[in-house]
Amino acid sequence: MRTGFTRLAVATAAASLLIGALAGCSTEESGDGGGESGKIAFLMPDRASTRYEEQDSPLFKKKVGELCEGCEVMYQNADGDASKQQQQMESMVAQGVDVIVIDAVDTTAAASSVQSAQAAGIKVVTYDRPVPDVAADFYVSFDNKEIGKLIAQSLVDHLADEGITDGGLLMVNGSPSDDAAMLIKEGSVEVVEASDYEVLASYDTPDWVPQKAQDWVSGQISQFRDDIVGVVAANDGTAGGTIAAFKAAGLDELPPVTGNDAEVAAIQRIISGDQYNTISKPISIVAEKAAEVAVGFIKGETPKADAELFDTPSALFVPEVVTAENVKEIIFDGGIYTADQVCKDEYASACEELGIK
């Protein structure tokens, strides 16, 4: 629950109580822990990645419903538009929500919106992507720098195991306006610079758009072609664009390409051999944690942090690398996806070869 709510000046205790009621907060207990109520805004950045619509939003709503029957989740997606997300933030402030959970389109531009919300007495939870220029009330994410290290180390180890010593790497990074992407890049660069492989070229993909990654990689293939022995792609969308570029160029054999997010399409590409790795970071972990933090704020609790990032108390989780060698164990035996979701049409035989049923 919000405390010290000061959006309107109040001269009497009665007026203060009235404003608290309008904000939608209640401290009445019903005996089963479900007596609290409040409004939580859940603002996601884009639809370029399918995860926000298919996983983050429904998982967050479900957990909030379990923890707080009287809480309302107000979900909006900014469609990759930072200005649209700013308008959504302003709307949520005007509607008097208690907590805003935001995965920022542009983590620098979002700073002023976070400050405005906090000035209105609203708790702000940054989600998946940090907002470095201002301290939020809490940050929930997987460790993005570690993700960069893991995907890059997995790739260079694979190349070494295959005896590939000549050639270099392309780096297809995430959006330059996303500080989480820059943390992934930082981790990847750290590993690659310590390896025996040179970086042929590096690209920060605007807004994580797969087509932009594909267009850039196509140009690099024209320049470097057979010198490219691997690609560090920052997520599954940029990996998909990268792989499409190589296929369009008619290469006899695709170089190994990394990824991140364990989207269904990426798991299919790993099973078929088109993509080398991805990162399993079960969205349920961060979505449910963010729900716990948001509901905790409504109840007047202080969420427990295990780290601090950009002066913000944080919960950072460590992900797992997925390759063809462990995809069955992590993704299917782990209950993230079922064979019915992934092993369709042309992927059925490849799934069977890996024992995925």
Side-chain angles (χ1 to χ4, degrees):
M1 180 191 306
R2 247 181 294 161
T3 56
F5 181 70
T6 58
R7 187 175 305 150
L8 296 176
V10 289
T12 67
S16 178
L17 288 172
L18 175 59
I19 289 174
L22 290 173
C25 290
S26 170
T27 58
E28 293 181 11
E29 298 293 337
S30 63
D32 60 359
E36 298 84 0
S37 64
K39 295 179 181 178
I40 304 170
F42 191 66
L43 307 182
M44 295 296 100
D46 59 61
R47 291 183 173 85
S49 174
T50 59
R51 53 169 283 195
Y52 301 114
E53 302 292 311
E54 296 177 359
Q55 298 184 64
D56 298 77
S57 177
L59 287 167
F60 181 82
K61 289 178 180 178
K62 182 175 183 291
K63 189 63 177 180
V64 168
E66 293 172 358
L67 297 171
C68 179
E69 292 180 1
C71 288
E72 177 187 359
V73 175
M74 304 165 72
Y75 170 65
Q76 292 187 333
N77 191 300
D79 297 310
D81 186 335
S83 296
K84 181 176 180 179
Q85 189 169 64
Q86 181 179 9
Q87 293 168 4
Q88 291 171 344
M89 284 280 283
E90 292 170 355
S91 174
M92 292 302 164
V93 171
Q95 292 180 63
V97 299
D98 301 284
V99 183
I100 294 175
V101 179
I102 178 172
D103 192 338
V105 174
D106 183 322
T107 49
T108 299
S112 60
S113 296
V114 171
Q115 288 178 318
S116 296
Q118 290 175 321
I122 298 169
K123 297 292 186 182
V124 178
V125 180
T126 44
Y127 180 86
D128 201 32
R129 302 172 182 176
V131 177
D133 293 341
V134 61
D137 294 285
F138 206 85
Y139 173 52
V140 179
S141 181
F142 283 91
D143 187 332
N144 289 295
K145 184 176 179 179
E146 187 65 19
I147 287 172
K149 289 182 177 181
L150 287 169
I151 58 176
Q153 192 65 57
S154 172
L155 176 65
V156 299
D157 288 348
H158 172 68
L159 292 173
D161 289 344
E162 293 293 311
I164 299 172
T165 57
D166 296 327
L169 307 177
L170 297 180
M171 297 196 66
V172 186
N173 312 303
S175 174
S177 64
D178 176 356
D179 281 280
M182 296 301 99
L183 288 170
I184 293 170
K185 178 181 178 180
E186 183 181 337
S188 296
V189 168
E190 190 174 303
V191 169
V192 172
E193 287 183 345
S195 76
D196 296 328
Y197 304 96
E198 66 172 321
V199 176
L200 298 172
S202 180
Y203 177 65
D204 296 341
T205 310
D207 301 320
W208 293 93
V209 176
Q211 185 62 54
K212 293 180 180 179
Q214 180 176 343
D215 294 343
W216 181 81
V217 172
S218 294
Q220 306 315 303
I221 294 171
S222 298
Q223 182 175 355
F224 298 109
R225 201 170 181 88
D226 294 338
D227 291 333
I228 304 169
V229 297
V231 181
V232 181
N235 79 339
D236 291 334
T238 54
T242 296
I243 291 165
F246 281 113
K247 287 188 173 184
L251 271 71
D252 294 332
E253 186 175 347
L254 298 180
V257 178
T258 72
N260 164 34
D261 283 339
E263 294 182 351
V264 168
I267 300 303
Q268 290 172 329
R269 290 192 295 264
I270 286 173
I271 289 168
S272 67
D274 287 343
Q275 183 170 325
Y276 177 63
N277 73 21
T278 188
I279 287 287
S280 174
K281 46 181 189 183
I283 303 304
S284 60
I285 293 177
V286 287
E288 290 178 3
K289 179 62 177 180
E292 290 171 4
V293 171
V295 171
F297 278 135
I298 286 175
K299 294 181 178 181
E301 300 169 354
T302 300
K304 182 179 178 181
D306 54 32
E308 184 173 287
L309 190 67
F310 301 117
D311 297 322
T312 300
S314 307
L316 302 178
F317 300 96
V318 179
E320 292 183 281
V321 177
V322 178
T323 66
E325 292 182 359
N326 62 9
V327 65
K328 178 180 181 297
E329 174 189 354
I330 293 179
I331 299 299
F332 297 95
D333 295 347
I336 296 173
Y337 297 129
T338 66
D340 289 342
Q341 291 174 292
V342 176
C343 302
K344 301 174 180 178
D345 305 324
E346 69 266 34
Y347 302 103
S349 60
C351 282
E352 189 173 342
E353 288 179 13
L354 294 175
I356 300 167
K357 301 177 181 178

